[in-house]
Amino acid sequence: MPHAAVLRRLALLALAGLASCRSGPASSAGTADLVVYGRVWTGDSAKPWAGAVAVSGDTVSALGDSAEIAALVRPETRVLANGDGLVTPGFMDGHLHFLDGGYQLASVDLRPANGKTEFIERVAAFASEREPGEWIVGGDWDHERWPGTPLPHRSWIDSVTPNNPVLLYRLDGHMALANSAALRLAKMGRTTRDIPGGVIVRDPSGELTGVLKDEAMNPVEALIVRTDAQRDAALKRALEHAAARGVTAFAHVSVPLAELGAYQRARRAHTLTARAALYFPIEHWREVADTVAKIGRGDDWVWIGGVKGYMDGSLGSTTALFYHPYEDDPSTSGVLTTPEDSMRAWIGGADSAELQVVVHAIGERANGLLLSIFDSVARAHGVRDRRFRVEHAQHLRRVDIPRFAQLGVIASMQPYHAIDDGRWAEKRIGPERIKTTYAFRSLLDRGAVLAFGSDWTVAPIEPLLGIYAAVTRRTLDGKNPDGWVPQEKISVEEALRAYTMGNAYGVFAEDRRGKLAPGYLADLVLIDRDLTRIPPEEIEQAAIKATVVGGRVVYEAKGGRVTLGRPTQPSADTPPQAP
Ligand SMILES: [Zn+2]
């Protein structure tokens, strides 16, 4: 096989550190397994644009103009022509909940529910097709969509779910509605004491409403057990969903250790169509370190990245931690979901085990505290390439913005949240605090590394929608056509970089992923239009035409475009080709 020889040669070149020096097309002896024509944004600052890319095996072998690359085409070469569209490095999603996304794709969908009636109807329809006793978990409801924004109550759904325990999450995952059957199984009732780091919402009479926030969800969640078959099916659904949206790699954060097996099984069966980096709950850092000692960190398909913790809750659930009270609920400044001492000990332990530490912080105070803990642990343990990450970094005091670059902390952010939360964030935190909210521009200007993601299933997984959000900051309600907090907009190329190289750096893979250059892994996407040449508001209509991972075409739009669509509209999926 001639391309096996090419592959071997490339591997040798890569080992010798020479592959990245090759900038022209391969020599006349070279052939390509795959050639992609189009306007190629390489992400490589030395050579940002090309007219075509050639792939041998799982690796980019050459970039050049279309004539140069055409010389590598042989009868057996697969050719994809993208016309005027854009070709970019594959999108990497720096923060999502992948199997939860897979579960949710097959669960009740409450995201479109515009009020109590629709909420109940959707739950009733789904429950009527379940076996008695089967758990109903999922939902992704958003009470900010409902008139008067009341929180749901278990009485809404008890009569339509008499035979099934139910736990329905708000789309941010920071609160959920349990029905009475689920509360009974968890032995929760009016005499249940408050749970540190969480909120049990009660009626004035003291009875539980069924809404549980953050740590208070634990007693119910502990009862939900998934089988390996359910996990494998969820992973398969999630991979198909991701491939159709151009996601070639992702960081699955807060992944339970029990889900590692699903990734390993798919890795062995060669059914992965995206590369996974896994971040397990930080409180289990010892087990994670033991696992790494036993089986190693993995490879570019399944990589044990490290551990993930939580400092606070979310803005939508009024549990993000601030220095000052909420405008619309002065009784609270948010919730510190993990005591500072525990967090310091866990981060310190995980860091000494050389695990990468990534921690959720949304409110200003959560971010300020976390940056200080990162700082003190790094000082105590000495210089190391540790790449701490703040997940969300949503609301920052101005003084904390430069600390990201100073401390070498990555800002792992999800731009779609900005155009979603932007509808109502000011009501929660007032006109001053919103000025440094989702501060993409300020963080970049102060030298921080931005890594973008979706937080799927909290938000749609579509990277194109994330780019649209970061570049336009137009809120979903259409009320900010010139952008919400417009001074924090960034350019298309900056957003592309945050979705590619930013995330490669975020998982220590920047020497082989995140840009299109000879010797880099051939993960790339074909987009139907050039995002850098259209008005920013049109990015929302862009679509993925094909997704390539490790040189293999894992998704191709058939029978017309796959459109992005708002989260309320189902989009036409075509499953990827069988491997
Ligand atoms: Zn998340």
Side-chain angles (χ1 to χ4, degrees), residues 468-483:
Y468 164 80
V471 171
T472 70
R473 294 179 74 104
R474 286 156 72 110
T475 49
L476 297 180
D477 57 11
K479 291 188 179 158
N480 296 277
D482 298 320

Side-chain angles (χ1 to χ4, degrees), residues 95-97 172 174 253-254 308 310 360 391-392 414 417 454-458:
H95 177 123
L96 49 61
H97 307 274
D172 61 10
H174 287 272
V253 296
S254 306
K308 152 92 186 296
Y310 283 93
H360 165 120
E391 301 301 312
H392 309 304
Q414 302 77 38
H417 288 337
S454 65
D455 209 3
W456 187 53
T457 81
V458 176

